[in-house]
Each structure stands twice: as C-alpha cells, then as structure tokens.
Amino acid sequence: MSERGTSRSHTDVVRSPHITGRRGDEVSLSALKECPARKPSVASLRSGSLRVNSDRPFTKGRRATGSRARPTARTGPYRTVGVVRVLMAPDKFRGTLSARQAAEAIGLGWRRIRPADEVDLLPLADGGEGTLQVLVGSEEGVSRVRVHGPLGDPLDAEFAVTGDVGLIETARASGLSLLSVHRRDPTRTSSRGTGELIAAALDAGARWLLVGIGGSATNDGGVGMATALGARFADARDRPLPDGPRALLDLASIDLSGMDSRLAAVRVIGM
C-alpha cells in the first residue's frame, strides 16, 4: 500500500494551539509533548511525525475558521438561503429592555444582515413586567388610578379594560421593580395595590379579569389584595391586621362577608 494510502487509513486527530502551520508542514512528536493539554488545530499522524492539515485556529464548540476560510452556504455569514419570514418574539430583558425594545433591537440586527427578509415583531410576556403593554399594544390604551404601593406609598398604577375584559398587571402596583434594593423587605410588602387595580377595573365595567401575577414584591398570599376588595383579616382580639406577611403570624379570623359583590359574577384568570 502506498504511503499516501497508509496516511489516510491511519489518521488520528490531535489538537493544540501550538501545532500550526501551512498545509503539508511537518511537526515532530516532541513538539506535541511540550504543548499544554488544550484543544488544538487538526493534524494527522503519519510515520512518527505530525502533518498539519489546517492552519485554522481552534474555536470551542464550533467549526474552526481562519484567515484563509471562505464563507460557505453552511458555515459562512452570508448563507445561500432564499428570502424567509422571521418572527422575533422575545420576552423582556429584565432591568435592561422591555419586550418590545428587545424585539425591535433583534429585528434591526436581522435586517442589517438580510434586508430582503420579512421580519415580524411579536413581543411576549409571562405575566410579569411588561404584560399590560404587550396585551394592549401601547401605553395609550391604559387608564391610571392612585393605589398603595408595595410598602404603602401612594403611586399611580395602570390597568386597561378592553370591551368587558379587565387587564391587570400586579407588577404595576405591587411589583419588585417599584422598590429600590434597600427597601425590598418581603416581610412587610403587600398586594393591596393590586386589589385596588381590580376594583378600578370593576368600576370600569370589566366582567372578565386577566391578572398577571409575575414580578411581585410580596409574599402576603393575596391578603392585601383581598383586603382592598372588602375582606377582613383579624387577630385574636379582632383587630384588623396591618399589611405585610409578618402580620399573618397573628391571624385568627377571616371574614369574607364584605367582599365586593361584583366579584361573584366575574371570572378571574391568573397569568
């Protein structure tokens, strides 16, 4: 069998950033022993020496490319694919971008590389921050009402009513993003403001309620929300409990007789 045939039939793959060169260059095995144990360039083992098959640098997890590499339909940046329709549907990047801003940024980047493609933007939400904006489409379709924030501070929060469907985002009234880091205390925060948003939606004629419950700053079990809608939570001396989960340690009785009667005819769906 020819030397060429032997080389092909006994090929081993070794990789090292130190074993590089032009195609056909030979490197001694002693050089390989001095290389650190890292993933390398491709070489073939042939009769006690290494013949370098590629001078392309190693890229972890993907096919290596180098200065001589040429874009191809499979690996290059300009893929030979016809015009396509692309859907950009991200959720928010918390603390950085809203879902709409993220979708617009991704769409802009796609159009920059493939301007002929049809790009559709569909921002998503999971019930947390940005849910109301995604459902309504813009801030112009919302209403504002004064409510209690997570720690009882007054604030203006938004809700929307479309037809007979009320759209409530807990994060707008009881959200973690409403509090600076040093004020975040889950033993004191309340969902009262969310109940006040629900009451406002009922006043606006809602008979269905979609309530996004993500992004909350509180773990009060909805006690604050229920209190805002007429429920009464008391301690052993029949004193109303203050807002916040800490007060639930003293809970002795629950009275729902004062709950807003309109809730009996309303279907509530949590998101």
Side-chain angles (χ1 to χ4, degrees):
M1 183 180 293
S2 68
E3 181 181 327
R4 182 181 181 88
T6 302
S7 175
R8 287 188 175 181
S9 61
H10 297 283
T11 299
D12 193 6
V13 176
V14 292
R15 298 180 173 86
S16 170
H18 296 275
I19 303 178
T20 58
R22 297 183 180 278
R23 184 179 297 276
D25 290 349
E26 292 193 357
V27 182
S28 67
L29 288 178
S30 61
L32 175 62
K33 296 177 181 179
E34 297 173 359
C35 295
R38 293 181 57 190
K39 298 228 175 191
S41 318
V42 178
S44 61
L45 182 63
R46 176 186 150 191
S47 303
S49 66
L50 295 172
R51 182 174 296 279
V52 176
N53 283 343
S54 172
D55 59 354
R56 297 175 296 180
F58 174 75
T59 303
K60 185 176 181 180
R62 60 184 67 179
R63 185 174 179 179
T65 57
S67 58
R68 290 189 174 188
R70 296 288 185 271
T72 67
R74 182 179 295 273
T75 63
Y78 307 105
R79 302 177 186 276
T80 56
V81 176
V83 175
V84 296
R85 184 181 182 187
V86 186
L87 178 65
M88 306 302 181
D91 197 349
K92 63 187 175 298
F93 286 41
R94 177 169 288 156
T96 305
L97 298 172
S98 67
R100 179 161 294 280
Q101 290 171 331
E104 290 173 350
I106 297 170
L108 179 64
W110 187 280
R111 292 189 184 100
R112 186 177 297 162
I113 300 300
R114 293 182 57 90
D117 290 345
E118 181 182 352
V119 178
D120 293 329
L121 307 183
L122 182 64
L124 299 180
D126 60 359
E129 300 96 323
T131 297
L132 186 63
Q133 184 183 46
V134 167
L135 293 177
V136 176
S138 72
E139 292 293 319
E140 298 178 358
V142 303
S143 302
R144 290 174 177 81
V145 63
R146 180 60 61 95
V147 301
H148 290 85
L151 289 175
D153 304 321
L155 60 85
D156 292 327
E158 299 81 10
F159 71 98
V161 176
T162 302
D164 62 352
V165 179
L167 306 174
I168 307 295
E169 181 184 312
T170 295
R172 299 271 179 150
S174 312
L176 191 64
S177 61
L178 299 174
L179 299 175
S180 57
V181 174
H182 72 278
R183 298 187 71 207
R184 295 177 180 178
D185 182 355
T187 68
R188 297 172 50 227
T189 49
S190 168
S191 60
R192 179 184 289 269
T194 300
E196 293 167 335
L197 284 182
I198 291 175
L202 295 176
D203 292 342
R207 296 186 61 82
W208 287 67
L209 292 173
L210 299 181
V211 183
I213 57 178
S216 169
T218 179
N219 292 315
D220 71 350
V223 169
M225 176 179 63
T227 299
L229 293 167
R232 188 174 186 273
F233 299 84
D235 62 16
R237 297 183 181 181
D238 201 35
R239 297 175 300 187
L241 296 183
D243 288 340
R246 182 183 299 169
L248 295 178
L249 294 172
D250 299 321
L251 177 63
S253 64
I254 301 174
D255 182 3
L256 303 181
S257 62
M259 289 285 286
D260 193 318
S261 60
R262 294 173 295 180
L263 290 171
V266 172
R267 183 171 183 182
V268 181
I269 300 175
M271 298 183 294

